[in-house]
Amino acid sequence: MSTNPLAAPEMQPASQPETGALGRLTGVIVSPTRTFGEIARRSTWVVPLLALWVLSIIVSGLLAQKTDWRSFFERQMSKNSRFDQMPQDQKDNILEKQVQYGPKFAFAFGVIFTPIFVLLITLIYWGAFNLFTGAALTFKTAFGMVSHAFVPLIISSLLAIIILLIKPRGDVDPEHFLASSLAAFLPDDAPKWLAALGQSLELFWIWTLALVAIGFSAASPKKIKPAGAFLTVFGMWAVWVLGKVAFAMF
């Protein structure tokens, strides 16, 4: 009578270790679909948002210090025909106030605006995807996706810091210190509508929107197909850009 040997226990595949916070920052660049799928299973947002916030504050502080605000606002005033009709003393008064508050506003912009902007973009696309696709995503998941999708802006902030540290004071244009948009290559006398369009065609922002689409698709792949995610994200952005360009024409 033959005996059956004891069957060896099945070897279970080792579970893949979860990517850490810093690994997720690089993962959304080199392997976005896999990384966003992991974020959907366990949402995090503190590290990317904090990194973007701190870097934005540094950029704003350098802008406030390195910009020749009087020259900048004089150029802005020269582009506005309404200022030509004002008395000289009134124009001087406006210019002095702009020079006084310009650096403070630039610094406050980085401190206050960055977290509000991430929150606003999350609310817009969280509502849009839940409304149009029935994705039923939680706000925490959406906020984690959008926070990590802003990694390209972390990269652009690092580049901006390097550029601002190198450039001497007075040789910085607050609008185009990082030549990553079409507007940076337009002449100063370009039509306002073209300048508005050029500002919207910005490399790092388009990259961010692409990651937003990938992230939401990875969060609910059964309900949000990649093509539909890109159509939703860039469709809403295109409506905003068209409205911005139309407003600039008047």
Side-chain angles (χ1 to χ4, degrees), residues 17-59:
E18 189 176 84
T19 307
L22 295 180
R24 287 184 171 188
L25 293 182
T26 57
V28 297
I29 302 299
V30 300
S31 183
T33 301
R34 181 188 64 79
T35 304
F36 279 119
E38 187 177 289
I39 296 170
R41 293 189 293 272
R42 190 180 73 84
S43 297
T44 57
W45 53 267
V46 174
V47 172
L49 181 60
L50 186 61
L52 180 61
W53 188 38
V54 171
L55 291 173
S56 297
I57 292 174
I58 296 173
V59 170

Short mmCIF file of all heavy atoms in Angstrom, two decimals, residues 17-59:
data_model
loop_
_atom_site.label_atom_id
_atom_site.label_comp_id
_atom_site.label_asym_id
_atom_site.label_seq_id
_atom_site.Cartn_x
_atom_site.Cartn_y
_atom_site.Cartn_z
N PRO A 17 5.61 45.58 -0.83
CA PRO A 17 5.61 46.61 0.21
C PRO A 17 5.03 47.92 -0.32
O PRO A 17 5.22 48.28 -1.48
CB PRO A 17 7.09 46.76 0.56
CG PRO A 17 7.83 46.25 -0.64
CD PRO A 17 6.97 45.17 -1.21
N GLU A 18 4.34 48.59 0.56
CA GLU A 18 3.71 49.85 0.16
C GLU A 18 4.76 50.94 0.00
O GLU A 18 5.70 51.03 0.78
CB GLU A 18 2.68 50.26 1.21
CG GLU A 18 1.83 51.44 0.79
CD GLU A 18 0.77 51.77 1.81
OE1 GLU A 18 1.09 52.49 2.77
OE2 GLU A 18 -0.37 51.29 1.66
N THR A 19 4.57 51.74 -1.02
CA THR A 19 5.51 52.82 -1.28
C THR A 19 5.39 53.90 -0.22
O THR A 19 4.28 54.26 0.20
CB THR A 19 5.23 53.44 -2.66
OG1 THR A 19 5.21 52.40 -3.65
CG2 THR A 19 6.29 54.46 -3.02
N GLY A 20 6.53 54.41 0.25
CA GLY A 20 6.53 55.47 1.23
C GLY A 20 6.14 56.81 0.64
O GLY A 20 5.93 56.95 -0.58
N ALA A 21 6.07 57.82 1.50
CA ALA A 21 5.63 59.14 1.07
C ALA A 21 6.54 59.73 0.00
O ALA A 21 6.06 60.25 -1.02
CB ALA A 21 5.55 60.07 2.27
N LEU A 22 7.86 59.63 0.19
CA LEU A 22 8.79 60.17 -0.80
C LEU A 22 8.76 59.34 -2.08
O LEU A 22 8.90 59.87 -3.18
CB LEU A 22 10.20 60.22 -0.22
CG LEU A 22 10.42 61.17 0.95
CD1 LEU A 22 11.86 61.11 1.44
CD2 LEU A 22 10.05 62.60 0.56
N GLY A 23 8.57 58.02 -1.93
CA GLY A 23 8.47 57.16 -3.10
C GLY A 23 7.26 57.49 -3.95
O GLY A 23 7.29 57.38 -5.18
N ARG A 24 6.17 57.93 -3.30
CA ARG A 24 4.98 58.31 -4.06
C ARG A 24 5.22 59.58 -4.87
O ARG A 24 4.65 59.74 -5.97
CB ARG A 24 3.80 58.51 -3.10
CG ARG A 24 3.25 57.21 -2.54
CD ARG A 24 2.03 57.44 -1.67
NE ARG A 24 1.39 56.16 -1.31
CZ ARG A 24 0.23 56.06 -0.68
NH1 ARG A 24 -0.44 57.14 -0.33
NH2 ARG A 24 -0.27 54.86 -0.40
N LEU A 25 6.04 60.48 -4.35
CA LEU A 25 6.33 61.71 -5.08
C LEU A 25 7.04 61.40 -6.40
O LEU A 25 6.74 62.01 -7.43
CB LEU A 25 7.20 62.65 -4.23
CG LEU A 25 6.55 63.24 -2.98
CD1 LEU A 25 7.52 64.18 -2.29
CD2 LEU A 25 5.25 63.94 -3.30
N THR A 26 7.98 60.47 -6.37
CA THR A 26 8.65 60.08 -7.61
C THR A 26 7.79 59.11 -8.41
O THR A 26 7.86 59.09 -9.64
CB THR A 26 10.01 59.44 -7.30
OG1 THR A 26 9.82 58.31 -6.43
CG2 THR A 26 10.94 60.43 -6.62
N GLY A 27 6.98 58.32 -7.71
CA GLY A 27 6.16 57.32 -8.40
C GLY A 27 5.13 57.93 -9.34
O GLY A 27 4.85 57.37 -10.40
N VAL A 28 4.56 59.09 -8.97
CA VAL A 28 3.56 59.70 -9.85
C VAL A 28 4.19 60.22 -11.13
O VAL A 28 3.49 60.49 -12.11
CB VAL A 28 2.80 60.84 -9.14
CG1 VAL A 28 2.01 60.32 -7.96
CG2 VAL A 28 3.76 61.94 -8.69
N ILE A 29 5.53 60.33 -11.15
CA ILE A 29 6.23 60.76 -12.35
C ILE A 29 6.63 59.55 -13.19
O ILE A 29 6.39 59.51 -14.41
CB ILE A 29 7.48 61.59 -12.00
CG1 ILE A 29 7.09 62.81 -11.15
CG2 ILE A 29 8.22 62.01 -13.26
CD1 ILE A 29 6.15 63.76 -11.83
N VAL A 30 7.24 58.53 -12.57
CA VAL A 30 7.79 57.41 -13.33
C VAL A 30 6.77 56.28 -13.52
O VAL A 30 6.87 55.52 -14.49
CB VAL A 30 9.05 56.86 -12.63
CG1 VAL A 30 10.12 57.93 -12.55
CG2 VAL A 30 8.75 56.32 -11.23
N SER A 31 5.82 56.15 -12.62
CA SER A 31 4.82 55.09 -12.73
C SER A 31 3.48 55.58 -12.17
O SER A 31 3.02 55.12 -11.12
CB SER A 31 5.29 53.84 -11.97
OG SER A 31 4.37 52.78 -12.11
N PRO A 32 2.85 56.53 -12.86
CA PRO A 32 1.68 57.21 -12.29
C PRO A 32 0.48 56.30 -12.05
O PRO A 32 -0.18 56.41 -11.01
CB PRO A 32 1.36 58.30 -13.32
CG PRO A 32 2.01 57.86 -14.58
CD PRO A 32 3.22 57.09 -14.17
N THR A 33 0.17 55.41 -12.98
CA THR A 33 -1.03 54.57 -12.81
C THR A 33 -0.92 53.68 -11.58
O THR A 33 -1.86 53.60 -10.76
CB THR A 33 -1.25 53.71 -14.06
OG1 THR A 33 -1.40 54.56 -15.21
CG2 THR A 33 -2.51 52.87 -13.92
N ARG A 34 0.22 53.01 -11.42
CA ARG A 34 0.41 52.15 -10.25
C ARG A 34 0.40 52.96 -8.96
O ARG A 34 -0.23 52.57 -7.96
CB ARG A 34 1.72 51.37 -10.37
CG ARG A 34 1.98 50.41 -9.20
CD ARG A 34 3.37 49.82 -9.26
NE ARG A 34 4.41 50.84 -9.11
CZ ARG A 34 4.76 51.34 -7.91
NH1 ARG A 34 4.16 50.95 -6.80
NH2 ARG A 34 5.71 52.25 -7.86
N THR A 35 1.08 54.10 -8.96
CA THR A 35 1.19 54.91 -7.75
C THR A 35 -0.17 55.50 -7.36
O THR A 35 -0.55 55.48 -6.18
CB THR A 35 2.21 56.04 -7.95
OG1 THR A 35 3.46 55.47 -8.34
CG2 THR A 35 2.41 56.83 -6.67
N PHE A 36 -0.91 56.00 -8.32
CA PHE A 36 -2.23 56.54 -8.01
C PHE A 36 -3.19 55.44 -7.55
O PHE A 36 -4.07 55.69 -6.72
CB PHE A 36 -2.81 57.29 -9.21
CG PHE A 36 -2.29 58.68 -9.37
CD1 PHE A 36 -1.59 59.06 -10.52
CD2 PHE A 36 -2.48 59.63 -8.39
CE1 PHE A 36 -1.11 60.34 -10.67
CE2 PHE A 36 -2.00 60.93 -8.52
CZ PHE A 36 -1.31 61.28 -9.67
N GLY A 37 -3.04 54.24 -8.08
CA GLY A 37 -3.85 53.13 -7.60
C GLY A 37 -3.57 52.84 -6.13
O GLY A 37 -4.48 52.53 -5.35
N GLU A 38 -2.32 52.95 -5.75
CA GLU A 38 -1.94 52.75 -4.35
C GLU A 38 -2.48 53.88 -3.47
O GLU A 38 -2.96 53.63 -2.35
CB GLU A 38 -0.41 52.68 -4.25
CG GLU A 38 0.10 52.30 -2.87
CD GLU A 38 1.61 52.17 -2.87
OE1 GLU A 38 2.11 51.19 -3.47
OE2 GLU A 38 2.27 53.05 -2.29
N ILE A 39 -2.43 55.10 -3.99
CA ILE A 39 -2.97 56.24 -3.24
C ILE A 39 -4.48 56.09 -3.06
O ILE A 39 -5.04 56.45 -2.02
CB ILE A 39 -2.64 57.56 -3.96
CG1 ILE A 39 -1.13 57.78 -3.99
CG2 ILE A 39 -3.32 58.75 -3.29
CD1 ILE A 39 -0.68 58.92 -4.89
N ALA A 40 -5.15 55.53 -4.06
CA ALA A 40 -6.59 55.31 -3.95
C ALA A 40 -6.92 54.32 -2.84
O ALA A 40 -7.95 54.44 -2.17
CB ALA A 40 -7.15 54.82 -5.29
N ARG A 41 -6.05 53.33 -2.64
CA ARG A 41 -6.30 52.34 -1.58
C ARG A 41 -5.99 52.90 -0.20
O ARG A 41 -6.64 52.54 0.78
CB ARG A 41 -5.46 51.08 -1.85
CG ARG A 41 -5.89 50.31 -3.09
CD ARG A 41 -5.18 48.97 -3.18
NE ARG A 41 -3.75 49.12 -3.43
CZ ARG A 41 -3.21 49.22 -4.63
NH1 ARG A 41 -3.99 49.22 -5.72
NH2 ARG A 41 -1.90 49.34 -4.79
N ARG A 42 -4.99 53.77 -0.11
CA ARG A 42 -4.68 54.42 1.16
C ARG A 42 -4.22 55.84 0.85
O ARG A 42 -3.07 56.09 0.52
CB ARG A 42 -3.59 53.68 1.94
CG ARG A 42 -3.42 54.19 3.37
CD ARG A 42 -2.34 53.43 4.11
NE ARG A 42 -1.01 53.79 3.63
CZ ARG A 42 -0.32 54.87 4.06
NH1 ARG A 42 -0.86 55.69 4.94
NH2 ARG A 42 0.89 55.12 3.60
N SER A 43 -5.16 56.75 1.00
CA SER A 43 -4.91 58.13 0.58
C SER A 43 -4.00 58.86 1.56
O SER A 43 -4.17 58.76 2.78
CB SER A 43 -6.24 58.90 0.47
OG SER A 43 -7.05 58.33 -0.53
N THR A 44 -3.05 59.58 1.02
CA THR A 44 -2.18 60.48 1.78
C THR A 44 -2.06 61.78 1.01
O THR A 44 -2.22 61.79 -0.21
CB THR A 44 -0.79 59.87 2.01
OG1 THR A 44 -0.20 59.56 0.73
CG2 THR A 44 -0.86 58.61 2.86
N TRP A 45 -1.78 62.85 1.71
CA TRP A 45 -1.67 64.15 1.04
C TRP A 45 -0.73 65.12 1.74
O TRP A 45 -0.34 66.14 1.16
CB TRP A 45 -3.05 64.80 0.94
CG TRP A 45 -3.77 64.90 2.26
CD1 TRP A 45 -4.66 64.00 2.78
CD2 TRP A 45 -3.66 65.95 3.25
NE1 TRP A 45 -5.09 64.41 4.02
CE2 TRP A 45 -4.50 65.61 4.33
CE3 TRP A 45 -2.93 67.13 3.31
CZ2 TRP A 45 -4.63 66.41 5.46
CZ3 TRP A 45 -3.05 67.93 4.44
CH2 TRP A 45 -3.90 67.57 5.49
N VAL A 46 -0.32 64.84 2.95
CA VAL A 46 0.44 65.80 3.75
C VAL A 46 1.77 66.16 3.10
O VAL A 46 2.11 67.34 2.95
CB VAL A 46 0.67 65.26 5.18
CG1 VAL A 46 1.61 66.21 5.95
CG2 VAL A 46 -0.65 65.10 5.91
N VAL A 47 2.55 65.14 2.69
CA VAL A 47 3.91 65.39 2.18
C VAL A 47 3.90 66.22 0.90
O VAL A 47 4.61 67.23 0.81
CB VAL A 47 4.67 64.06 1.99
CG1 VAL A 47 6.00 64.30 1.27
CG2 VAL A 47 4.92 63.40 3.34
N PRO A 48 3.12 65.85 -0.15
CA PRO A 48 3.16 66.68 -1.36
C PRO A 48 2.63 68.09 -1.13
O PRO A 48 3.18 69.05 -1.67
CB PRO A 48 2.28 65.91 -2.35
CG PRO A 48 1.43 65.02 -1.51
CD PRO A 48 2.25 64.66 -0.32
N LEU A 49 1.57 68.22 -0.33
CA LEU A 49 1.02 69.55 -0.09
C LEU A 49 1.99 70.40 0.71
O LEU A 49 2.19 71.59 0.40
CB LEU A 49 -0.32 69.44 0.65
CG LEU A 49 -1.04 70.76 0.94
CD1 LEU A 49 -1.33 71.50 -0.36
CD2 LEU A 49 -2.31 70.53 1.73
N LEU A 50 2.62 69.82 1.72
CA LEU A 50 3.57 70.56 2.54
C LEU A 50 4.79 70.96 1.72
O LEU A 50 5.29 72.10 1.83
CB LEU A 50 3.99 69.72 3.74
CG LEU A 50 4.89 70.40 4.78
CD1 LEU A 50 4.18 71.59 5.39
CD2 LEU A 50 5.31 69.41 5.85
N ALA A 51 5.28 70.05 0.87
CA ALA A 51 6.44 70.36 0.03
C ALA A 51 6.12 71.50 -0.93
O ALA A 51 6.92 72.45 -1.09
CB ALA A 51 6.86 69.12 -0.75
N LEU A 52 4.96 71.44 -1.57
CA LEU A 52 4.56 72.49 -2.51
C LEU A 52 4.38 73.82 -1.78
O LEU A 52 4.79 74.88 -2.28
CB LEU A 52 3.27 72.09 -3.22
CG LEU A 52 2.72 73.09 -4.25
CD1 LEU A 52 3.71 73.31 -5.38
CD2 LEU A 52 1.38 72.62 -4.79
N TRP A 53 3.79 73.77 -0.60
CA TRP A 53 3.53 74.99 0.17
C TRP A 53 4.83 75.67 0.58
O TRP A 53 5.01 76.88 0.41
CB TRP A 53 2.68 74.63 1.39
CG TRP A 53 2.18 75.82 2.16
CD1 TRP A 53 1.74 77.01 1.66
CD2 TRP A 53 2.09 75.93 3.58
NE1 TRP A 53 1.36 77.85 2.66
CE2 TRP A 53 1.56 77.21 3.86
CE3 TRP A 53 2.37 75.06 4.63
CZ2 TRP A 53 1.32 77.65 5.17
CZ3 TRP A 53 2.12 75.50 5.93
CH2 TRP A 53 1.61 76.77 6.18
N VAL A 54 5.77 74.90 1.13
CA VAL A 54 7.05 75.46 1.58
C VAL A 54 7.81 76.05 0.41
O VAL A 54 8.35 77.17 0.48
CB VAL A 54 7.88 74.38 2.29
CG1 VAL A 54 9.30 74.89 2.56
CG2 VAL A 54 7.23 73.97 3.61
N LEU A 55 7.86 75.32 -0.71
CA LEU A 55 8.59 75.81 -1.88
C LEU A 55 7.93 77.06 -2.46
O LEU A 55 8.62 77.98 -2.92
CB LEU A 55 8.67 74.72 -2.94
CG LEU A 55 9.56 73.52 -2.59
CD1 LEU A 55 9.43 72.43 -3.64
CD2 LEU A 55 11.02 73.94 -2.44
N SER A 56 6.59 77.11 -2.42
CA SER A 56 5.89 78.30 -2.91
C SER A 56 6.21 79.52 -2.06
O SER A 56 6.34 80.64 -2.58
CB SER A 56 4.37 78.05 -2.91
OG SER A 56 4.03 77.00 -3.79
N ILE A 57 6.33 79.31 -0.76
CA ILE A 57 6.69 80.42 0.14
C ILE A 57 8.10 80.93 -0.18
O ILE A 57 8.35 82.14 -0.21
CB ILE A 57 6.58 79.97 1.60
CG1 ILE A 57 5.12 79.72 1.97
CG2 ILE A 57 7.18 81.02 2.54
CD1 ILE A 57 4.91 79.13 3.35
N ILE A 58 9.02 79.99 -0.44
CA ILE A 58 10.39 80.39 -0.78
C ILE A 58 10.41 81.16 -2.09
O ILE A 58 11.08 82.21 -2.21
CB ILE A 58 11.30 79.15 -0.85
CG1 ILE A 58 11.41 78.48 0.52
CG2 ILE A 58 12.69 79.54 -1.36
CD1 ILE A 58 12.15 77.17 0.50
N VAL A 59 9.69 80.66 -3.10
CA VAL A 59 9.63 81.35 -4.39
C VAL A 59 9.04 82.75 -4.22
O VAL A 59 9.56 83.74 -4.76
CB VAL A 59 8.79 80.54 -5.40
CG1 VAL A 59 8.52 81.36 -6.66
CG2 VAL A 59 9.50 79.24 -5.77
#
